[in-house]
């Protein structure tokens, strides 16, 4: 039997950090990454044969659980017909139809391969439609790794961005303005100074990449109003939340109720059912600026890949009201138990929750977590011991305190029971952690 450590040693010789996405390297929690070889329902199995209850869910797509029979059959049928055609095919429009049925504001849809590609294309489209250059984003919101979105906050409320990664030039970052999340006054100041040059404001529907952060009441509606007032577009990034928080994503729990729609949506994760698929969508008059009907160029060899489309169609067809009710119920059980055990162990924390998405932030009860500064100020040193205690008990959590926890419709009473059994020891480990 090959061990996780042996696999990691080999991987580090061949790939930077031994991984193809940084969080998988366990850098923020320490220890040896687990190399998974199989998944089924709510469970993962690693190379050493250890089974874990999964609370990552492929970082969101596994709404129905791993290896859902209908999704597997749809993928097998698609594979039998061919891995890809390089042409249009019927299931592209079928998936687009399912998206529009759930989110009417997604009048037209362009399929892409990744969430990064979706947001990158949405921003190019916004600039092409408005003939403006500046994009506003919020600190702590992650929209993929395209250069302009890896900007860090400048020194003032309304200053242009600074490079947030090596390899991002000052020129690229300078076309992005970064403001604190949930700060209406900061956004007002940005538009007062730069309004005529702002092409778009992009925001996570509810942030889930600095841990879950709840939008303050009316904040997204405020973004909608101020962008309309200044002729800018609102890009609502639902790569994480789309078709997971409700059947219509977070917009279904907010914009649909409050009576507003963004100009553009971006989707990912659930829309592909576990295969590489994402999309941007929006009003017809905006989307028709994309090639071949308009001057904003986008193309992709794997866009609308038939196998990925089959997985997405099967996932959305089987993501029924009962699925969402089940996931919400089980998420609440786990969240309540997590809070109870941390309280019993005397661990100061807040439980950040929107729908079935949640995360824990240690040492934050005095301020709550309303923005990136709050998230960064937490006692993150407690998460590593907490994570490893859960891992040792057979529960696989996100290997970073800044990530959301995901449940699925496959998480039954047995899986939930294993999670609840693991929490007391993990809470004690967090209590005993030292900086």
């Amino acid at each position: 039997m090959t061990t996780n450590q042996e696999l990691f040693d080999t991987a580090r010789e061949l790939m930077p950090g031994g991984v193809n996405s940084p969080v998988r390297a366990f850098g923020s929690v320490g220890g040896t990454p687990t190399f998974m070889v199989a998944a089924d329902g709510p469970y993962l199995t690693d190379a050493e044969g250890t089974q874990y209850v999964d609370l990552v869910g492929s970082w969101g797509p596994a709404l129905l659980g791993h290896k859902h029979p209908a999704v597997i059959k749809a993928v097998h049928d698609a594979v039998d017909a061919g891995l890809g055609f390089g042409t249009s095919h019927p299931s592209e429009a079928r998936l687009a139809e399912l998206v529009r049925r759930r989110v009417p504001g997604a009048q037209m849809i362009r399929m892409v391969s990744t969430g990064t590609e979706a947001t990158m294309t949405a921003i190019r489209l916004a600039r092409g439609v408005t003939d403006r250059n500046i994009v506003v984003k919020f600190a702590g919101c992650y929209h993929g790794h395209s250069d302009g979105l890896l900007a860090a906050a400048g020194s003032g409320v309304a200053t242009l961005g600074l490079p947030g990664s090596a390899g991002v030039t000052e020129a690229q970052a300078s076309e992005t303005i970064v403001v604190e999340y949930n700060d209406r006054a900061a956004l007002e100041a940005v538009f007062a100074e730069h309004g005529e040059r702002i092409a778009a404001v992009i925001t996570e529907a509810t942030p889930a990449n600095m841990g879950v952060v709840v939008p303050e009441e009316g904040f997204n509606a405020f973004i909608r109003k101020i962008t309309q007032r200044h002729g800018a577009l609102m890009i609502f990034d639902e790569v994480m939340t789309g078709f997971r928080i409700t059947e219509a994503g977070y917009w279904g729990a907010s914009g649909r109720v409050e009576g507003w729609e963004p100009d553009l949506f971006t989707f990912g994760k659930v829309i592909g059912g576990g295969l590489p698929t994402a999309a941007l969508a929006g009003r017809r008059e905006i989307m028709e600026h994309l090639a071949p009907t308009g001057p904003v160029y986008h193309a992709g060899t794997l866009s609308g890949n038939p196998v990925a489309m089959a997985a997405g169609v099967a996932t959305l067809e089987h993501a029924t009201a009962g699925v969402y009710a089940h996931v919400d119920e089980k998420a609440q059980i786990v969240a309540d138990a997590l809070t109870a055990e941390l309280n019993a162990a005397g661990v100061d924390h807040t439980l950040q929750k929107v729908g079935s998405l949640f995360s824990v932030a240690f040492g934050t009860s005095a301020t709550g977590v309303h923005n990136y500064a709050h998230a960064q100020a937490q006692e993150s040193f407690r998460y590593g011991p907490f994570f490893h205690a859960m891992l040792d008990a057979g529960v696989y959590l996100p290997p970073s305190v800044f990530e959301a926890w995901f449940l699925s419709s496959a998480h039954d009473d047995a899986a939930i029971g294993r999670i609840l059994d693991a929490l007391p020891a993990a809470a004690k480990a967090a209590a005993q952690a030292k900086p």
Side-chain angles (χ1 to χ4, degrees):
M1 178 184 67
T2 304
T3 66
N4 288 314
Q5 185 62 59
E6 289 169 338
L7 289 168
F8 191 42
D9 291 342
T10 298
R12 281 185 292 186
E13 288 294 315
L14 299 168
M15 299 178 288
V19 296
N20 285 308
S21 189
V23 72
R24 301 175 192 172
F26 278 30
S28 67
V29 294
T32 301
T34 45
F35 281 65
M36 302 303 179
V37 297
D40 191 7
Y43 301 110
L44 294 172
T45 302
D46 73 8
E48 298 175 5
T50 303
Q51 185 191 71
Y52 305 87
V53 180
D54 182 24
L55 286 173
V56 177
S58 292
W59 301 101
L63 175 66
L64 304 179
H66 296 289
K67 213 166 73 173
H68 186 279
V71 177
I72 294 298
K73 182 181 185 306
V75 169
H76 283 175
D77 290 346
V79 168
D80 287 344
L83 295 178
F85 310 130
T87 70
S88 297
H89 58 90
S91 60
E92 292 172 297
R94 174 59 179 157
L95 183 53
E97 179 185 25
L98 290 172
V99 170
R100 189 169 67 178
R101 186 180 301 170
R102 288 167 173 248
V103 183
Q107 295 176 356
M108 300 193 84
I109 296 97
R110 170 61 60 89
M111 300 298 175
V112 296
S113 296
T114 68
T116 291
E117 187 184 358
T119 56
M120 176 186 72
T121 307
I123 285 170
R124 181 183 301 162
L125 179 57
R127 286 175 168 149
V129 169
T130 63
D131 196 27
R132 300 174 177 181
N133 292 339
I134 292 177
V135 170
V136 179
K137 72 176 292 288
F138 297 101
C141 285
Y142 179 69
H143 306 288
H145 62 268
S146 59
D147 288 350
L149 293 176
L150 289 180
S155 59
V157 171
T159 58
L160 299 178
L162 302 170
S165 168
V168 176
T169 68
E170 290 185 8
Q172 290 165 321
S174 71
E175 293 185 334
T176 304
I177 296 176
V178 186
V179 297
E180 202 69 81
Y181 190 70
N182 273 327
D183 190 336
R184 299 188 190 200
L187 195 57
E188 288 272 19
V190 163
F191 272 97
E193 183 171 343
H194 302 284
E196 293 183 354
R197 296 191 292 150
I198 295 173
V201 175
I202 184 168
T203 183
E204 286 188 76
T206 181
N209 285 283
M210 49 177 153
V212 173
V213 175
V214 182
E216 292 180 357
E217 185 175 356
F219 184 65
N220 282 325
F222 173 74
I223 298 173
R224 173 67 291 186
K225 289 177 183 177
I226 197 169
T227 50
Q228 286 178 324
R229 188 189 315 153
H230 290 271
L233 301 191
M234 178 183 182
I235 303 172
F236 210 48
D237 183 350
E238 294 233 40
V239 168
M240 189 81 79
T241 56
F243 316 119
R244 171 164 276 280
I245 287 183
T246 73
E247 78 285 349
Y250 189 71
W251 174 83
S254 56
R256 182 165 60 186
V257 176
E258 296 166 355
W260 58 266
E261 292 178 338
D263 298 291
L264 291 171
F265 293 88
T266 57
F267 299 117
K269 309 291 186 180
V270 171
I271 196 178
L275 291 182
T277 298
L280 62 150
R283 297 204 312 274
R284 180 177 300 274
E285 63 269 25
I286 294 174
M287 292 297 293
E288 286 187 334
H289 279 74
L290 283 173
T293 55
V296 178
Y297 193 71
H298 167 266
T301 299
L302 296 178
S303 296
N305 173 270
V307 180
M309 294 294 98
V313 168
T315 298
L316 291 189
E317 286 180 339
H318 287 82
T320 62
V323 163
Y324 292 103
H326 177 93
V327 176
D328 286 347
E329 175 192 359
K330 300 305 182 186
Q332 191 65 58
I333 290 171
V334 175
D336 288 345
L338 172 59
T339 292
E341 295 298 342
L342 289 173
N343 285 339
V347 180
D348 183 86
H349 71 285
T350 54
L351 195 288
Q352 304 292 119
K353 188 172 184 294
V354 175
S356 64
L357 284 185
F358 63 93
S359 62
V360 63
F362 296 106
T364 56
S365 65
T367 61
V369 181
H370 305 287
N371 54 45
Y372 191 39
H374 292 156
Q376 288 180 306
Q378 71 177 287
E379 296 174 347
S380 56
F381 64 88
R382 298 191 186 280
Y383 189 72
F386 179 87
F387 169 87
H388 280 287
M390 295 293 284
L391 192 70
D392 291 344
V395 179
Y396 188 74
L397 299 180
S400 168
V401 74
F402 298 108
E403 301 287 352
W405 299 22
F406 298 94
L407 280 85
S408 75
S409 62
H411 281 75
D412 55 14
D413 290 343
I416 298 299
R418 288 179 57 176
I419 298 168
L420 302 189
D421 289 344
L423 285 172
K428 291 178 182 177
Q432 296 166 2
K434 303 297 181 184

